[in-house]
């Protein structure tokens, strides 16, 4: 809640509404608070909605290793008219989106474990596009897994560069994906609300983060 509280330090009413925990009914009020304090944007129009959803997707999968293009299209459909949803106190889109993300995080974790099995071979010359801004969302599961292979090679290489043995490096990478599953499973409703509001703020100022 630090983002919300900090942004609305000058508004005792807004802060009082969220200090004990966010609720869906407060989102539209907080959105308006952001707009009231912004120079360029003053209305929740289609352009702003597009920017907010793009920031929301970046937040859900910043490295583009979990979601496929089909998932992204589904999330865009779920979040269509998102400002009307928050205005009507309908935040089901957050839970629906989180369910998709959890499924994909589990999928990639299971794939990572299979890939790092006894037949795994480290390929130090693996090349891939690391910067998510310079790559598209994978078109399907096969393409997502193919990219993940390269990403895992990169992770293994980083561990081995510290003189870590292969078996230990593999265990650490697997732990990373297990932690990603647990972190996603442990996401609270409050986390979902604050994550959306952070995306809203970044939609207003995408280059300020």
């Amino acid at each position: 809640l630090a983002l919300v509280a900090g942004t609305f330090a000058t508004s005792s009413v807004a802060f009082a509404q969220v200090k004990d925990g966010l609720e869906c009914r407060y989102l539209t009020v907080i959105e308006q608070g952001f707009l009231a304090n912004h120079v360029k944007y003053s209305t929740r129009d289609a352009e702003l909605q597009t920017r907010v959803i793009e920031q929301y997707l970046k937040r859900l999968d910043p490295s583009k290793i979990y979601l496929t293009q089909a998932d992204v299209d589904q999330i865009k459909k779920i979040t269509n008219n998102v400002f009307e949803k928050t205005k009507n106190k309908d935040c089901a889109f957050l839970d629906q989106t989180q369910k998709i993300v959890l499924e994909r995080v589990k999928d990639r974790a299971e794939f990572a474990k299979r890939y790092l099995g006894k037949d795994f071979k480290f390929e130090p010359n693996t090349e891939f596009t690391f910067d998510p801004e310079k790559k598209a969302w994978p078109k399907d599961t096969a393409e997502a897994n193919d990219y993940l292979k390269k990403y895992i090679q990169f992770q293994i290489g980083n561990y081995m560069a510290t003189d870590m043995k292969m078996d230990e490096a593999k265990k650490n990478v697997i732990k990373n994906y297990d932690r990603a599953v647990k972190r996603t499973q442990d996401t609270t409703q409050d986390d979902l609300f604050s994550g959306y509001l952070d995306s809203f703020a970044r939609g207003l100022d995408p280059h300020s983060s």
Side-chain angles (χ1 to χ4, degrees):
L1 301 182
L3 167 69
V4 178
T7 302
F8 292 99
T10 59
S11 173
S12 58
V13 175
F15 180 70
Q17 288 176 329
V18 303
K19 67 178 181 179
D20 295 322
L22 285 168
E23 295 180 23
C24 183
R25 60 192 172 124
Y26 297 143
L27 297 193
T28 192
V29 176
I30 297 170
E31 289 172 345
Q32 192 56 47
F34 276 112
L35 292 170
N37 289 279
H38 200 271
V39 176
K40 182 177 180 181
Y41 292 98
S42 60
T43 59
R44 282 164 281 195
D45 57 18
E47 179 188 354
L48 179 58
Q49 175 178 280
T50 297
R51 292 161 65 97
V52 169
I53 293 174
E54 287 300 321
Q55 292 298 319
Y56 184 54
L57 286 164
K58 287 182 181 180
R59 183 181 181 85
L60 293 174
D61 185 8
S63 298
K64 294 184 178 177
I65 62 173
Y66 297 115
L67 300 175
T68 66
Q69 184 62 57
D71 296 324
V72 170
D73 291 342
Q74 185 177 359
I75 290 170
K76 286 183 177 180
K77 184 176 180 180
I78 290 170
T79 54
N80 188 41
N81 295 321
V82 68
F83 298 150
E84 282 298 309
K85 288 177 167 59
T86 57
K87 180 180 178 181
N88 293 324
K89 305 175 180 62
D90 176 11
C91 293
F93 69 93
L94 292 172
D95 294 306
Q96 293 165 359
T97 298
Q98 187 66 13
K99 183 178 179 181
I100 294 171
V101 173
L102 178 57
E103 289 176 354
R104 294 298 167 263
V105 173
K106 286 180 176 179
D107 288 345
R108 302 297 170 261
E110 287 303 313
F111 177 80
K113 291 175 184 177
R114 292 195 303 271
Y115 181 59
L116 287 167
K118 60 183 179 63
D119 296 327
F120 174 78
K121 290 182 176 59
F122 177 52
E123 300 171 1
N125 296 322
T126 300
E127 295 183 0
F128 74 113
T129 302
F130 181 79
D131 186 353
E133 296 294 334
K134 296 180 180 179
K135 66 182 289 286
W137 295 96
K139 63 182 180 181
D140 52 28
T141 300
E143 190 170 291
N145 288 342
D146 184 62
Y147 180 80
L148 191 59
K149 289 180 184 179
K150 299 174 183 177
Y151 195 81
I152 289 173
Q153 290 283 345
F154 172 75
Q155 291 175 299
I156 291 290
N158 280 345
Y159 280 121
M160 292 182 68
T162 65
D163 294 328
M164 186 179 290
K165 300 298 183 183
M166 173 71 77
D167 286 346
E168 187 178 358
K170 288 167 62 174
K171 288 178 182 178
N172 280 336
V173 171
I174 289 172
K175 285 180 182 178
N176 289 340
Y177 289 97
D178 283 340
R179 279 194 289 266
V181 171
K182 187 177 188 307
R183 187 167 55 249
T184 308
Q185 289 174 326
D186 291 346
T187 301
T188 66
Q189 201 69 36
D190 214 49
D191 292 332
L192 296 180
F193 292 144
S194 60
Y196 167 74
L197 290 172
D198 182 71
S199 300
F200 187 93
R202 292 173 191 273
L204 293 172
D205 296 292
H207 302 298
S208 64
S209 59

